[in-house]
C-alpha cells in the first residue's frame, strides 16, 4: 500500500476519535447529568444511615421532664396512699414476703435493680442488675413500665401524674 493511503487511514481514525471526544464533551454540557442527593427508593428494611440514627436518638431521648422539681415538693404520706394500687402485687415492710411482684423495702438507691432475694425477675429487668434504682429511673419505670423495660412482667399501666410518681418515690425513699 502506498504511504499516502496510510496517511488517509490514520487521518480518518484520528478525526473519528476527535469527533467522538467533542461529542462526549458537548453532550455532557447540553444535558447536565444531576446525581440524586439521596436514594429515591429505599428498600424496606434497608434503613438509610440518617434515618437509623434519628430513630436511635429518639428511642434514647428521655421522654419525661426531670422529676427533681416534683420531688422537691413531694409528700411521702400522699405517696403511701397512691402506693395502695401497688399493694395487690407488692409489700413494703422490711422482710415482708414477695407477692406477684418483689418486696419493695429499701428499693431506692440502696438495692440494685432486680436483686430482691427469692424473687425471680424477668429478663427484661434483670438485664439492668448492675444499676441502682435512682429517682429518675423510678420515675420512668413508674410512668410506663413496659416502655422502660419492654417485656417486663409488671403488668401495671403506670402512674400518669408527675406529682403522684414523685410522692410514691418519696414514700419508697422513706422506707429505711
Ligand atoms: C399487677 C401487679 C403489679 C402492680 C400493680 C405493681 N407492680 Fe411493681 N412489679 C410487679 C412485678 C411482677 C415486678 C417484677 C417485674 C419483672 O421482673 O419484670 C415488679 C417490679 C417492680 C419494681 C422493681 C423492683 C426491683 O427490685 O428491681 C419496682 C420498683 C416496682 N415494681 C414498683 C411498683 C410500684 C411503686 C407500684 C405502684 C405504683 C407497682 N410496682 C405496681 C408487679 C406489679
Amino acid at each position: 500500500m502506498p504511504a499516502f493511503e496510510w496517511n488517509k487511514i490514520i487521518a480518518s481514525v484520528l478525526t473519528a476519535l476527535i469527533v467522538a471526544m467533542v461529542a462526549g464533551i458537548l453532550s455532557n454540557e447540553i444535558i447536565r447529568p444531576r446525581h440524586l442527593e439521596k436514594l429515591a427508593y429505599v428498600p424496606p428494611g434497608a434503613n438509610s444511615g440518617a434515618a437509623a440514627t434519628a430513630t436511635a436518638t429518639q428511642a434514647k431521648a428521655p421522654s419525661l421532664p426531670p422529676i427533681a422539681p416534683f420531688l422537691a415538693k413531694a409528700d411521702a404520706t400522699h405517696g403511701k396512699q397512691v402506693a395502695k394500687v401497688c399493694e395487690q402485687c407488692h409489700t413494703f415492710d422490711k422482710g415482708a414476703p414477695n407477692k406477684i411482684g418483689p418486696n419493695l423495702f429499701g428499693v431506692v438507691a440502696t438495692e440494685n435493680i432486680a436483686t430482691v432475694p427469692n424473687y425471680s425477675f424477668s429478663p427484661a429487668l434483670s438485664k439492668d442488675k448492675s444499676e441502682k434504682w435512682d429517682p429518675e429511673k423510678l420515675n420512668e419505670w413508674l410512668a410506663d413500665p413496659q416502655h422502660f423495660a419492654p417485656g417486663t412482667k409488671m403488668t401495671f399501666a403506670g402512674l400518669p401524674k408527675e406529682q403522684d410518681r414523685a410522692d410514691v418515690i418519696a414514700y419508697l425513699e422513706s422506707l429505711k
Side-chain angles (χ1 to χ4, degrees):
M1 216 185 276
F4 69 91
E5 285 290 330
W6 276 114
N7 280 346
K8 271 200 231 163
I9 293 168
I10 291 166
S12 57
V13 167
L14 279 179
T15 320
L17 279 179
I18 290 166
V19 167
M21 229 174 72
V22 171
I25 292 169
L26 277 182
S27 64
N28 243 353
E29 286 300 310
I30 297 166
I31 306 165
R32 284 173 181 272
R34 295 230 328 262
H35 299 284
L36 291 178
E37 277 158 22
K38 55 180 179 185
L39 285 182
Y41 171 73
V42 181
N47 248 334
S48 82
T53 357
T55 357
T57 36
Q58 219 173 23
K60 267 194 204 146
S63 43
L64 301 169
I67 196 72
F70 298 93
L71 272 180
K73 51 180 173 150
D75 172 0
T77 319
H78 180 245
K80 186 176 179 167
Q81 279 162 23
V82 177
K84 292 263 178 262
V85 295
C86 324
E87 284 177 5
Q88 53 167 314
C89 303
H90 290 288
T91 52
F92 294 93
D93 295 334
K94 187 174 186 174
N98 299 320
K99 291 163 88 178
I100 296 170
N103 170 256
L104 291 181
F105 178 84
V107 79
V108 189
T110 53
E111 274 176 27
N112 281 15
I113 292 177
T115 50
V116 174
N118 305 321
Y119 185 83
S120 135
F121 285 90
S122 72
L125 260 198
S126 40
K127 70 171 171 33
D128 292 332
K129 256 185 182 156
S130 56
E131 295 178 45
K132 292 202 189 311
W133 279 117
D134 58 29
E136 285 304 337
K137 280 202 208 80
L138 274 169
N139 178 38
E140 280 191 44
W141 167 247
L142 295 178
D144 186 350
Q146 289 299 332
H147 180 78
F148 180 89
T152 175
K153 56 180 181 171
M154 172 149 144
T155 50
F156 175 69
L159 296 170
K161 286 195 204 144
E162 258 104 16
Q163 196 58 62
D164 280 355
R165 296 197 297 273
D167 291 355
V168 168
I169 294 168
Y171 168 60
L172 289 172
E173 276 181 324
S174 74
L175 303 170
K176 278 177 196 151

